[in-house]
């Protein structure tokens, strides 16, 4: 089934000049970029995006990190896009990520792990709408 999902090159990925590398890996896997921008999240923006994690012990450091520099959110489309993006990213902990995944190859820690990806259709829907309006997304073709 063709799906859309959100991925974000996090501040550490932007600082390490990995934007093109991340996009290239997704495109090589057959995913199509249908929305792309660079933004600087405020702490409040990051807290809104990660609101589902508000009660978790890592919420404060995560939102601090995500507002520490520019991020590159993108909408990817393709067959099984949500699962495919998560596979390409690798496990959240880079030490547990499979060889050849983005996180295994480039991440420094569980938090500074280069990239974010939606984990389910409902999450993808919320996350895409958080960063993009309908006019900012390609309608295919």
């Amino acid at each position: 089934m063709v799906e859309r999902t959100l991925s974000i090159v996090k501040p550490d990925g932007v600082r390490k000049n990995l934007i093109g590398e991340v996009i290239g890996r997704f495109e090589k896997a057959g995913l199509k970029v249908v929305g792309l921008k660079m933004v600087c999240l405020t702490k409040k923006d990051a807290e809104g995006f990660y609101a589902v994690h508000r009660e978790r012990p890592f919420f404060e450091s995560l939102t601090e990190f995500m507002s520490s520099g520019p991020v590159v959110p993108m909408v990817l489309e393709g067959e099984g896009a949500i699962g495919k993006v998560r596979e390409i990213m690798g496990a959240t902990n880079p030490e547990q990520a499979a060889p050849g995944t983005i996180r295994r190859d480039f991440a420094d820690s569980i938090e500074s792990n280069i990239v974010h990806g939606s984990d389910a259709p409902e999450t993808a829907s919320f996350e895409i709408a958080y960063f993009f309006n309908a006019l900012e997304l390609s309608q295919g073709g």
Side-chain angles (χ1 to χ4, degrees):
M1 177 168 93
V2 174
E3 298 174 319
R4 282 188 172 182
T5 190
L6 184 91
S7 184
I8 303 172
V9 179
K10 294 181 177 183
D12 56 328
V14 174
R15 278 193 285 276
K16 290 180 176 185
N17 274 340
L18 293 172
I19 299 166
E21 175 73 29
V22 170
I23 293 170
R25 289 188 184 205
F26 292 145
E27 288 181 327
K28 283 182 188 112
L31 295 166
K32 182 178 177 184
V33 177
V34 296
L36 178 72
K37 61 172 79 172
M38 180 179 276
V39 297
C40 292
L41 298 175
T42 64
K43 181 87 159 69
K44 188 174 177 183
D45 294 333
E47 288 171 353
F49 182 73
Y50 286 108
V52 66
H53 297 305
R54 188 170 297 282
E55 302 305 318
R56 306 291 287 274
F58 57 82
F59 180 76
E60 188 61 33
S61 63
L62 174 62
T63 55
E64 198 65 46
F65 168 63
M66 289 299 288
S67 58
S68 70
V71 297
V72 179
M74 67 189 86
V75 179
L76 301 161
E77 182 179 83
E79 197 65 39
I82 295 168
K84 197 175 277 189
V85 165
R86 295 190 67 74
E87 187 179 314
I88 294 163
M89 290 189 317
T92 304
N93 182 342
E95 292 176 13
Q96 297 171 354
T101 60
I102 292 168
R103 289 174 172 158
R104 178 63 169 262
D105 291 349
F106 302 110
D108 295 325
S109 69
I110 288 177
E111 200 165 271
S112 295
N113 63 9
I114 307 297
V115 69
H116 164 90
S118 303
D119 61 3
E122 308 76 41
T123 317
S125 186
F126 166 80
E127 292 181 349
I128 290 167
Y130 198 85
F131 285 103
F132 295 91
N133 67 49
L135 295 174
E136 295 174 308
L137 299 174
S138 164
Q139 298 310 308

